[in-house]
Amino acid sequence: FHFKHPEIEAWLRERMPGQEVRTVAKKSFIRYGERMVDFPFQKNIHQLPPEEFVDCLHDLYFARAPGAGPKAPEGNFKEMLYARFGRSIAEKFLIPYNEKLYACDLAALDRDAMGRFFPHADLDDVIRNMRVADNASYNATFTYPEGGAIEYVKAIASAVREGGIALEEPLLAVDLERRVATTPRRRIAFTRLVSSAPFHRLLRLCAVPHDPSVWSWNKVLVFNLGFDRKGPDDVHWMYFPDRGCSFYRVGFYDNIFHTDRLSVYVEIGLPPDAEVDVEAARARVLDDMRAQGLIDGHRLVAWHSVVMDPAYVHITQRSLAEVARLKAELASKGVHSIGRYGGWTYCSIEDNLIEARALAEDFDA
């Protein structure tokens, strides 16, 4: 978790009595062939083999240099990567990694699909980083509670009135004219309804006419894996651009609290219509973890999987325009769609909290 607003983090911590919450300096690396390259790739090309470093530096220079010729417009995310970083950096890491993450052709995405979360770097940054490493980013440090992410959920839930949370009661339909929401158990009249459901699903529930082709996304199969002994130390995230490796990222829970057994989450990007064979995918993940040197003779003692669907929404010019138009239409009927999926955007959890707080303050006004 990453916080830019101290008062939000303080509010949460006040509602987590007795819970140890660590603030950790992030250590993240890219597995590039047999090497470990500091993240982000574009600022650490000097760690590549000499010939590849020269290729990257050459292409970066001529992509950025004044007088290098007229710049083609950056019409999509892939064109942005080529235009700002040159062919070598784009094709060695930025394109293969992000294609594994988004599970789509990057040319389909808006050039600013990742907003402030994309680690940009100019030529000066790259050269300066050769002598004095500065890989700071929006999440250079992160916090994590001893009891896991659920502790933040509990903290927020503690501020809700007793009996105000209903689980296992899906929303079936919303009548915008009568302002009535229907679940399998009841009909609920509302003045205002706030939804964080995926935007395209809310549109269907509200029977709002829309073009389904506007919305695209990927899903992510996540494995949580626990092993009988320690694995790589002193790393929190590891990125894998190799297309032959099934996963794009591995996170190391055990290195947050320095526990003595390997505990990781492994992420695999998939198209929205992909069939998921969990057992086959788990076997492939374990094989790939061995090939990448993450495990060697380790015994898997516990595991869990979940499919996030959607995981990353695909932000396009069409989706941006339609979200703005249809959110306004819904708001005029008392329905407010917010959050990462409700806003069909790329944002942090803290951004969601800020957005919800601003909406509540607007209601009070």
Side-chain angles (χ1 to χ4, degrees):
F1 293 83
H2 319 284
F3 296 97
K4 297 191 301 178
H5 294 73
E7 77 280 6
I8 291 179
E9 184 175 17
W11 187 94
L12 290 165
R13 290 201 184 206
E14 286 171 4
R15 288 157 178 79
M16 299 163 62
Q19 185 69 212
E20 180 185 357
V21 181
R22 289 209 173 163
T23 299
V24 182
K26 182 188 71 172
K27 295 182 179 178
S28 53
F29 304 95
I30 297 154
R31 171 69 77 180
Y32 187 79
E34 298 300 315
R35 294 176 180 247
M36 295 287 282
V37 176
D38 285 334
F39 185 88
F41 185 88
Q42 51 269 39
K43 289 181 71 172
N44 292 290
I45 55 175
H46 60 285
Q47 297 176 11
L48 299 176
E51 185 175 341
E52 293 193 65
F53 166 52
V54 171
D55 288 342
C56 289
L57 190 61
H58 172 275
D59 292 354
L60 175 66
Y61 175 80
F62 283 105
R64 294 294 191 93
K71 305 295 184 187
E74 300 172 1
N76 56 59
F77 193 68
K78 181 181 282 188
E79 289 178 0
M80 180 276 289
L81 297 178
Y82 278 121
R84 300 189 190 184
F85 299 100
R87 180 170 297 276
S88 292
I89 291 176
E91 295 183 356
K92 290 178 186 299
F93 177 75
L94 295 176
I95 290 176
Y97 174 77
N98 283 291
E99 283 185 347
K100 289 177 70 176
L101 185 153
Y102 282 106
C104 75
D105 183 349
L106 301 184
L109 303 181
D110 182 73
R111 66 177 185 175
D112 294 318
M114 292 181 65
R116 76 176 195 276
F117 300 95
F118 185 84
H120 287 284
D122 59 26
L123 189 58
D124 289 347
D125 293 330
V126 174
I127 300 300
R128 192 177 295 113
N129 219 47
M130 296 178 191
R131 290 291 188 188
V132 181
D134 177 11
N135 296 315
S137 63
Y138 78 95
N139 60 353
T141 63
F142 65 90
T143 66
Y144 203 81
E146 186 177 19
I150 191 64
E151 298 300 330
Y152 284 116
V153 178
K154 291 177 181 176
I156 295 172
S158 71
V160 179
R161 63 176 170 80
E162 187 175 350
I165 297 176
L167 304 177
E168 298 183 3
E169 186 179 353
L171 184 63
L172 298 179
V174 177
D175 186 325
L176 293 177
E177 298 306 319
R178 294 181 175 83
R179 297 199 179 193
V180 173
T182 301
T183 79
R185 300 177 186 173
R186 52 186 166 160
R187 290 163 57 84
I188 307 168
F190 65 86
T191 302
R192 291 181 292 252
L193 184 153
V194 180
S195 170
S196 62
F199 192 62
H200 65 303
R201 295 177 188 168
L202 178 64
L203 293 174
R204 291 202 303 268
L205 292 171
C206 295
V208 173
H210 63 282
D211 180 355
S213 69
V214 170
W215 322 108
S216 65
W217 63 94
N218 77 329
K219 56 189 178 187
V220 170
L221 171 60
V222 182
F223 285 101
N224 294 295
L225 306 173
F227 296 88
D228 60 342
R229 56 191 173 86
K230 195 71 172 173
D233 204 355
D234 214 27
V235 56
H236 302 114
W237 279 282
M238 200 177 292
Y239 301 84
F240 298 86
D242 179 2
R243 298 182 193 274
C245 177
S246 58
F247 43 81
Y248 63 84
R249 182 169 62 181
V250 174
F252 297 80
Y253 291 117
D254 55 304
N255 291 332
I256 298 174
F257 284 89
H258 304 294
T259 51
D260 60 1
R261 294 194 287 181
L262 177 62
S263 176
V264 297
Y265 61 90
V266 179
E267 298 170 288
I268 303 169
L270 300 166
D273 57 352
E275 296 284 337
V276 179
D277 183 334
V278 171
E279 291 293 337
R282 181 169 64 97
R284 170 75 187 279
V285 162
L286 293 175
D287 286 344
D288 287 344
M289 289 182 71
R290 294 185 191 97
Q292 296 293 338
L294 302 181
I295 56 175
D296 182 9
H298 288 66
R299 181 171 62 89
L300 183 68
V301 296
W303 71 278
H304 164 269
S305 70
V306 62
V307 176
M308 299 189 295
D309 183 15
Y312 293 94
V313 304
H314 294 166
I315 300 172
T316 67
Q317 285 296 316
R318 290 181 72 203
S319 74
L320 291 168
E322 283 295 87
V323 165
R325 181 180 72 85
L326 293 169
K327 280 183 69 172
E329 181 178 331
L330 289 170
S332 72
K333 304 289 187 179
V335 175
H336 304 270
S337 187
I338 66 173
R340 182 170 188 156
Y341 301 107
W344 208 256
T345 189
Y346 192 115
C347 64
S348 71
I349 291 174
E350 186 186 42
D351 291 333
N352 296 330
L353 298 176
I354 293 167
E355 183 183 17
R357 181 176 64 179
L359 184 62
E361 290 171 349
D362 187 52
F363 290 164
D364 290 340

